[in-house]
């Protein structure tokens, strides 16, 4: 499973990239707003640090305008994936960009039917939002399972299932069990993945016993 980080904070991205575990980055207009910076600067800086796909989302809602924005965003670096919302105009834009060989991430997916449309439009990634479905009492994980199952029925579908709106490690584990290709994870949740109380307890025990030997390795 590929790990993307869901943030526009360059310092967090640098820190995670240094672990070697980061395969890509997703941003959205809210994350760019939170960074307080200009989208073109942020995306350019992220692309210098990460060689995998970096999603930059259009802000327009009309196809022609989306194409104009995509033209600016894709000039930033070859690893920019243009993110479009799952609307008729978004899918039209996805289709047009995919024909030109551009990676497109179709976002704000909340149903399996929408995911099928995105695949037909040639999306490189479909982003079903798990947490936001859970928030309204619907089954976010069930949506991932449905999409993975449907896509598996059609080997010609190359769209990768990118589990998004992940709120905690269980979302990630369940998505991995279901075979989601990618997860985009907030930095705080990535940090949680490392933690287990038995790891801390075990390490403390090893260090105590090691100190008792009086040895040093180097
Ligand atoms: C995906 O690409 C989105 O940026 C993101 O996962 C949305 O998550 P949220 O529901 O926590 O805002």
């Amino acid at each position: 499973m590929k790990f993307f980080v869901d943030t526009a904070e360059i310092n967090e991205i640098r820190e995670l990239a240094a672990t070697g575990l980061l395969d890509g980055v997703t941003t959205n207009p809210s994350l760019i707003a939170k960074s307080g910076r200009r989208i073109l600067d942020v995306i350019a800086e992220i692309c210098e640090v990460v060689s995998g796909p970096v999603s930059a989302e259009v802000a327009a809602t009309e196809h022609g305008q989306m194409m104009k924005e995509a033209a600016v965003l894709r000039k930033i670096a070859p690893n920019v994936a243009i993110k479009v919302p799952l609307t008729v105009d978004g899918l039209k834009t996805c289709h047009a960009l995919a024909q030109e060989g551009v990676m497109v991430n179709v976002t704000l997916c909340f149903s399996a039917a929408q995911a099928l449309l995105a695949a037909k439009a040639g999306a490189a990634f479909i982003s079903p939002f798990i947490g936001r479905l859970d928030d309204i009492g619907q089954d976010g994980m069930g949506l991932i399972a449905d999409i993975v199952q449907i896509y598996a029925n059609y080997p010609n579908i190359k769209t990768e299932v990118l589990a998004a709106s992940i709120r905690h490690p269980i979302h990630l584990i369940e998505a991995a069990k279901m075979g989601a290709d990618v997860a985009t994870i907030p930095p705080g949740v990535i940090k949680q993945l490392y933690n287990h109380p038995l790891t801390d307890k075990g390490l403390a025990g090893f260090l105590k016993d090691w100190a008792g030997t009086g040895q040093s390795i180097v």
Side-chain angles (χ1 to χ4, degrees):
M1 180 186 233
K2 285 177 253 184
F3 277 14
F4 290 2
V5 65
D6 198 28
T7 184
E9 299 300 331
I10 189 68
N11 289 336
E12 288 174 328
I13 293 167
R14 278 189 213 287
E15 200 182 306
L16 288 163
T19 66
L21 303 177
L22 192 61
D23 301 301
V25 177
T26 53
T27 65
N28 63 39
S30 303
L31 292 171
I32 296 289
K34 199 170 151 204
S35 79
R37 301 182 59 208
R38 286 174 49 81
I39 182 168
L40 301 187
D41 299 338
V42 177
I43 299 297
E45 218 170 337
I46 298 173
C47 289
E48 278 171 21
V49 177
V50 176
S51 59
V54 174
S55 289
E57 187 160 343
V58 298
T61 54
E62 183 274 323
H63 171 61
Q65 281 303 114
M66 284 182 180
M67 290 300 289
K68 284 186 190 157
E69 292 185 356
V72 174
L73 294 171
R74 55 192 273 212
K75 261 197 228 136
I76 298 174
N79 56 323
V80 169
I82 303 298
K83 207 173 181 192
V84 299
L86 211 152
T87 59
V88 173
D89 286 70
L91 291 180
K92 252 170 96 174
T93 304
C94 174
H95 183 256
L97 292 172
Q99 299 275 86
E100 292 177 36
V102 177
M103 269 187 296
V104 182
N105 177 355
V106 178
T107 190
L108 292 168
C109 170
F110 294 97
S111 80
Q114 290 181 318
L116 255 180
L117 293 175
K120 284 188 76 70
F125 303 102
I126 180 67
S127 292
F129 278 37
I130 302 169
R132 292 193 194 189
L133 277 172
D134 289 357
D135 289 346
I136 60 158
Q138 293 191 16
D139 183 8
M141 291 315 317
L143 175 59
I144 301 289
D146 284 349
I147 299 171
V148 169
Q149 184 189 350
I150 291 168
Y151 281 9
N153 287 340
Y154 302 98
N156 61 324
I157 292 182
K158 302 294 176 228
T159 308
E160 295 189 37
V161 179
L162 194 170
S165 188
I166 285 184
R167 300 279 163 78
H168 47 70
I170 306 287
H171 275 156
L172 173 72
I173 297 307
E174 291 300 313
K177 278 158 69 175
M178 288 165 182
D181 303 282
V182 191
T184 189
I185 320 166
V189 176
I190 294 185
K191 289 190 180 120
Q192 285 180 292
L193 301 178
Y194 289 98
N195 298 331
H196 197 288
L198 290 181
T199 303
D200 298 340
K201 192 177 166 201
L203 183 59
F206 288 157
L207 293 179
K208 184 166 172 280
D209 293 344
W210 180 251
T213 70
Q215 299 181 46
S216 82
I217 295 173
V218 287

